[in-house]
Structure formats: structure tokens, C-alpha cells
Amino acid sequence: MKDIARDLGVSIATVSRALKDSPRISTQQKERIQAYAREHNFYPSVIGEALRHSKVRPSKVIGVIVPQLTHYYFSTILAGIEEEARARGYQIMVGQSEDRYDQEYNLCSNFYKNRVCGVIVSQAKDTLKYDHFQNLLDTGIPVIFYDRICTGIECSRVVVDDYMGAYTAVTHLIDTGCKRIAYYGTSMRLEIAKNRYNGYKDALHKHGLEVDDTLVRLCDNRASAEAITPDIMDLPDPPDAFFAVNDDTAIGILYTVKRLGFQVPDEISICGFTNGVRAVSCDPMLTTVEQRGHAVGQEAADILIGKVEGTIPMDRIEKRIVRTRLVIRGTTR
């Protein structure tokens, strides 16, 4: 408000009244100040306003954006963030983007208004513009990405080793006798999708097998898996195994091939990617790649708090990789 007052040649009190839409100043002056504030991305601090007349010191608050709270992997990451933050005297403010750019944008604006000390985020699937992240960085608020990283901005991030996780899983399928391995993945706009597909492809090539494009499908949820799997099993040369981008998709495949009369794993092997609670709730239990979401969350919070407290320079790009492991169960031989 001091900056606005100085630039416009008015008092701080006048700026304050204008931003609160007070009738004590003229409409023309009010609109002039509000327009200037919007142009310069100024928002009143909700936390600051609430605490201005309070003796309570402002909390150390971290904003966290989760694509889907109901997704097991993201919930474990959130638990890891909260545990690390709480242990170091911080609180978290959580928002769900529902994998929508507009919701993600609004969450970033709300976090800025509430003066969080930093933001930890997994990018929404349909995000193609990154101005909301850049605005936070430009105002000195550190942003840490996890899982789905933003390739449009050079920023600190924590990811699992998606490439090696996929490579190891597909190698296991090949080692147990599978020759035609289908791949169900998500949009190649996402870095994790590229890495998992490349792990799949390289494992095939390493073992002298070619990628058959008829076995590569865009599919990242159970409903879609149940819809498209009958057609793929009806091909003249159907797959004898599936590698899926997540457990829900793998379970959709499992349900469908069993309904079609195939024996798992004798005729069809299936491997997922997550190792959530559903992996042990199906019959047979699912072979899958464990992502270790709790560790991802702890690492992301550690980087953010390090930047806030000065132990990690704001301009240093931290890139941390959490190793995956293959958990072998009943859906593979």
C-alpha cells in the first residue's frame, strides 16, 4: 500500500479506503487506485487483515495444490508434506484443482492473497499456461512441483523415477514369458507420461521386441480401461500382458479380462503403477510399481522450508528423485 500511495501521490489511508471500497473517498479516486492495484497484482492479505489487531503472530503456512484428493497417491504425498511441515513448525493450506487449469489458477491467486510462505503443487492435466506459477515466483513466493512438473518454468521439483519404474515393470513381464505387452498411458503432454512410455519402449527394445502401436492406448482410469479392453483383446494377435500407468487402470483391465474368460496370470499378466490400497483389494492381488508418495511429500516440504528459511538459496533449482520399487503379486507369473 505504501508503494501505491507513493506512485499515485495519495496517502496510505486513502489507498486502504479505496481497496476496502469505502464511501469516504470519491468514486473516481477509488476506481483509479483499484485499477492500479489490479494492474500491479496487488491483493489485500486476508491473513494480515485478520491478524492486524491481534496479538497472535502470523502462522507459517504452506499452500498445497492436489489434483485429486481421492487419489491414493496424492493423499500419501499430502500426508508426507503435512508430517514434515508440522515437525518443523509449519501448517498447510490445501486446495484441490480437480485437474482443471482455472481451478489451479484461482488457488494460486488465493494462496497469494493469504500470503502463504510457499506453494507445493502437482500440475493439472489441462494446464498449458504457466503465468499463475510465474506470478508467485516473481513476488518472491517459492514454488515446488511434485509428480506432474511444469516444464514451462525452471523450478524445483520432486519426482519418482518414472522411467526406471516402468522399465523394471516391463522387464519383469518379459522375463516371465510375455511377448505382446500392451501399454495404457496418459496424455504425453505430461512429463511423467513421457518417462513411463519411454521406460516401456526401451524395455521392449532391450529384449528384442518391437513396439506395436495397436497395443498403445490413451487410457488412465478404470472406466476407460473397461471400455477399451474388450476391443484390444479381440485383435487378431491380442496382448498377453498389460502395463498400466496407474493401479485404477490396471484393476479395470483385470476386471475386464476376467469377465471375458481369461485366466490371470496364466493367460494374461497385468502390472500397475502406484501400490495403493486397491492393489491388495483385488483378486488376484496386483503386481505394481510402488511410488512412495509419503517420501515425495517429505522431500517437497523439505525443499520449500529450506528456501523459506534460507538454507537453500531461492535461485537454486533443486531436483530430487525418489526411487521406485516393483512389488510382485498375483497378477504376474
Side-chain angles (χ1 to χ4, degrees):
M1 287 196 293
K2 289 180 182 178
D3 293 338
I4 297 173
R6 182 193 64 238
D7 293 349
L8 296 183
V10 297
S11 69
I12 295 174
T14 298
V15 173
S16 177
R17 292 187 183 108
L19 296 177
K20 292 178 180 177
D21 206 25
S22 169
R24 296 177 62 186
I25 61 173
S26 70
T27 301
Q28 183 180 4
Q29 182 78 292
K30 188 188 306 180
E31 290 176 352
R32 174 172 170 253
I33 293 170
Q34 290 176 351
Y36 187 90
R38 285 193 300 272
E39 181 182 346
H40 291 80
N41 294 314
F42 174 84
Y43 299 95
S45 171
V46 176
I47 291 177
E49 182 66 20
L51 296 175
R52 189 161 64 91
H53 303 294
S54 172
K55 295 180 181 180
V56 180
R57 297 180 62 187
S59 299
K60 295 185 288 186
V61 179
I62 298 169
V64 182
I65 299 179
V66 180
Q68 295 175 341
L69 283 167
T70 56
H71 195 293
Y72 174 83
Y73 179 54
F74 292 129
S75 68
T76 60
I77 291 175
L78 184 60
I81 293 171
E82 195 279 332
E83 182 179 295
E84 182 71 13
R86 175 164 36 85
R88 297 171 67 172
Y90 288 74
Q91 299 177 11
I92 64 172
M93 180 183 295
V94 183
Q96 178 178 227
S97 71
E98 299 175 339
D99 267 326
R100 289 166 36 201
Y101 165 78
D102 60 335
Q103 183 77 345
E104 183 180 84
Y105 187 100
N106 291 335
L107 286 168
C108 286
S109 295
N110 288 334
F111 285 157
Y112 177 77
K113 293 175 187 178
N114 284 280
R115 293 297 189 267
V116 297
C117 63
V119 174
I120 300 174
V121 55
S122 180
Q123 180 182 301
K125 285 182 183 178
D126 68 351
T127 293
L128 299 175
K129 298 185 293 183
Y130 316 116
D131 48 328
H132 50 311
F133 299 137
Q134 191 62 57
N135 286 341
L136 293 171
L137 293 168
D138 290 344
T139 54
I141 298 175
V143 177
I144 313 299
F145 287 94
Y146 67 90
D147 190 53
R148 302 181 197 156
I149 64 174
C150 175
T151 56
I153 296 175
E154 188 65 13
C155 212
S156 294
R157 75 281 305 269
V158 181
V159 295
V160 300
D161 194 348
D162 291 293
Y163 172 88
M164 188 52 66
Y167 183 92
T168 301
V170 176
T171 296
H172 168 67
L173 292 171
I174 295 169
D175 288 344
T176 54
C178 301
K179 302 293 185 185
R180 286 184 55 76
I181 303 169
Y183 175 82
Y184 283 12
T186 191
S187 169
M188 294 297 280
R189 291 200 310 265
L190 300 174
E191 200 69 14
I192 61 169
K194 296 175 186 176
N195 291 336
R196 292 179 195 179
Y197 176 74
N198 287 335
Y200 160 81
K201 178 184 67 176
D202 289 353
L204 293 180
H205 289 165
K206 176 72 174 180
H207 294 84
L209 300 175
E210 294 298 320
V211 175
D212 183 343
D213 290 338
T214 65
L215 302 183
V216 177
R217 302 296 175 93
L218 184 64
C219 175
D220 64 359
N221 60 73
R222 176 169 179 165
S224 295
E226 291 180 12
I228 71 172
T229 300
D231 290 337
I232 204 170
M233 292 307 300
D234 200 37
L235 290 172
D237 191 7
D240 56 8
F242 290 83
F243 173 63
V245 72
N246 57 47
D247 285 357
D248 279 353
T249 302
I251 291 169
I253 297 167
L254 173 61
Y255 171 83
T256 304
V257 296
K258 286 176 62 179
R259 181 170 54 81
L260 294 172
F262 293 93
Q263 298 296 313
V264 178
D266 296 339
E267 296 176 288
I268 303 291
S269 291
I270 302 166
C271 183
F273 207 112
T274 301
N275 197 33
V277 293
R278 295 176 185 173
V280 294
S281 301
C282 53
D283 182 26
M285 291 190 288
L286 185 68
T287 293
T288 186
V289 178
E290 184 176 49
Q291 289 182 274
R292 299 178 59 214
H294 195 274
V296 171
Q298 288 181 310
E299 292 288 343
D302 179 66
I303 295 173
L304 184 81
I305 294 170
K307 286 181 175 288
V308 171
E309 296 183 348
T311 57
I312 299 176
M314 281 288 193
D315 59 355
R316 183 198 296 173
I317 305 301
E318 286 279 310
K319 298 179 180 179
R320 299 186 188 176
I321 298 175
V322 174
R323 302 298 175 189
T324 58
R325 72 182 182 100
L326 182 65
V327 180
I328 299 173
R329 298 194 181 99
T331 57
T332 57
R333 301 166 197 163

